Amino acid sequence: MSTNTIDNTRKVTTRRLIEMKQRGEKISMLTAYDYSSAKILDEAGIDCILVGDSASNVMAGNVTTLPITLDQMIYHAKSVMKAVKRALVVVDLPFGSYQGNSKEALASAIRMMKESHAEAIKLEGGAEIRESVERILSAGIPVMGHLGLTPQSINKFGTYTVRAREEQEAAKLIADAKLLEELGCFALVIEKVPAALTAKVAAELTIPVIGIGAGAADGQVLVMHDMLGINKGFSPRFLRRYADLASIMTDAVGRYIEDVKRSDFPSESEQY
Ligand code: KIV
C-alpha cells in the first residue's frame, strides 16, 4: 500500500512546480513515450512526465539521442498527452530542431505545442542557445533547461562520464543556470554532475532544479524503462531499480509460448 500523500486531483502546472520548491516539496519526474505508460505514471501520481529524446535509445534502439526527428517526438508527445490528466508534460526538442537559429527553434517549439498539445518544452544548453530560449519564451511557451551532461552533444564530449568536475566547467554551469533562470525558464534538469555542484545551483536558484545522477535537488528524474528494469543493459551508479520487469515479462512470455505449444491455450472458457 502506498504511503504517499500526493494530491492526485490538482493539475500540475509550471507555476505549481515553483511553488513546490518554495514549500520544500520534492518533484517527481519520469519519462514516458506512449499512451499506456503515461496513463500508469499519471494515475500513480507522478508530478511531471518527460517525453524525452531518450525515446531515440529506448523506443527506436539508436545508440544516441541524435537520430530522433521532430515528427517522431511529436508522435510520442501526442500519445502521452492523450493519457495524462494531472502531471505536467514536458517534451524534448530533438537534436537539429533548434540549434540552427532562434527562428528555427521557435518554429519547432510551435509545431510541438500545436500538434502534440504538450505543455512545455526542454532544450539542452546554456548561453549558446540564449536567443532561442528568449524567442520561445516570448511566444508564451514554457521552457525547461538542461545542463551538465547533455546527450545531444555526446559527439563533442566523447563520453557519458560525470561533467563539471573541473572548476571552469562548474563555473560555466552555474552561470548558465542563472542565465536560464533570468531568461524565464521555469525549471532546469541537471544531469550527471557532482552532488555539491547541484546543491549549490539549487540553493542559488528560485526555479526548481531536477537532478539525474546529480545528487539531491528539488526533484529527480529517471528514464522509466531503466528504473522499472525493462532496460537492463544500463546500470550507472545513480540508477535505483524499483522493479525487474524484464524478468517478469520474460517469464510471462515463456509461459505463454509453452501453453501455445502444448495446446493448453486457449482453453474451453477462452473461446467462443
Ligand atoms: O531524454 C531524456 O530522457 C532526458 C532525461 C535523461 C533527463 O533528457
Side-chain angles (χ1 to χ4, degrees):
M1 173 119 163
S2 169
T3 53
N4 71 38
T5 51
I6 291 162
D7 177 354
N8 270 327
T9 52
R10 225 176 120 205
K11 174 77 186 125
V12 181
T13 59
T14 56
R15 190 191 167 97
R16 192 155 160 224
L17 291 190
I18 295 170
E19 289 167 1
M20 286 169 78
K21 171 161 181 156
Q22 287 164 353
R23 283 198 303 275
E25 183 183 341
K26 300 284 185 182
I27 296 162
S28 59
M29 183 169 174
L30 283 171
T31 58
Y33 321 108
D34 66 285
Y35 174 87
S36 305
S37 307
K39 194 164 192 304
I40 293 170
L41 300 190
D42 192 47
E43 288 174 359
I46 200 83
D47 296 314
C48 194
I49 291 180
L50 174 64
V51 185
D53 59 358
S54 49
S56 176
N57 313 88
V58 177
M59 293 281 104
N62 294 312
V63 175
T64 72
T65 59
L66 275 67
I68 200 159
T69 65
L70 184 60
D71 283 339
Q72 289 165 338
M73 287 302 295
I74 289 172
Y75 165 82
H76 288 298
K78 261 183 178 171
S79 310
V80 166
M81 283 307 295
K82 284 181 201 151
V84 174
K85 291 195 167 77
R86 176 184 172 273
L88 175 76
V89 178
V90 182
V91 186
D92 270 330
L93 281 192
F95 177 70
S97 71
Y98 64 95
Q99 288 90 348
N101 59 61
S102 62
K103 268 194 182 167
E104 185 192 24
L106 178 60
S108 300
I110 287 178
R111 263 202 75 197
M112 179 56 75
M113 301 299 281
K114 258 190 189 301
E115 294 180 35
S116 76
H117 304 163
E119 296 163 318
I121 56 144
K122 177 162 82 58
L123 301 179
E124 294 184 6
E128 54 288 336
I129 57 158
R130 176 189 184 130
E131 258 185 52
S132 298
V133 172
E134 280 174 328
R135 220 177 238 254
I136 294 169
L137 284 167
S138 71
I141 300 171
V143 176
M144 175 180 269
H146 184 155
L147 298 172
L149 176 66
T150 47
Q152 291 179 12
S153 305
I154 187 58
N155 292 315
K156 184 171 100 183
F157 297 149
T159 159
Y160 286 101
T161 54
V162 179
R163 304 297 314 172
R165 280 194 194 277
E166 267 105 54
E167 216 173 290
Q168 205 181 349
E169 196 181 338
K172 172 161 167 41
L173 189 145
I174 294 168
D176 281 341
K178 287 183 176 166
L179 173 69
L180 292 171
E181 169 164 282
E182 268 169 41
L183 294 179
C185 288
F186 70 91
L188 276 189
V189 163
I190 297 194
E191 181 166 354
K192 225 168 174 193
V193 305
L197 177 59
T198 306
K200 185 171 163 57
V201 174
E204 291 188 15
L205 298 192
T206 57
I207 60 171
V209 172
I210 300 179
I212 173 163
D218 303 309
Q220 296 294 322
V221 57
L222 285 175
V223 170
M224 185 196 72
H225 290 70
D226 298 338
M227 60 84 76
L228 291 181
I230 298 172
N231 167 26
K232 289 174 66 172
F234 180 66
S235 300
R237 166 180 173 163
F238 70 78
L239 176 63
R240 188 179 291 182
R241 271 197 217 292
Y242 288 83
D244 183 2
L245 290 197
S247 301
I248 292 172
M249 289 169 79
T250 304
D251 174 63
V253 172
R255 287 187 292 113
Y256 167 73
I257 294 169
E258 218 176 279
D259 289 353
V260 170
K261 299 282 181 195
R262 59 191 174 97
S263 302
D264 179 74
F265 175 77
S267 67
E268 282 292 317
S269 65
E270 287 161 328
Q271 45 190 294
Y272 302 98

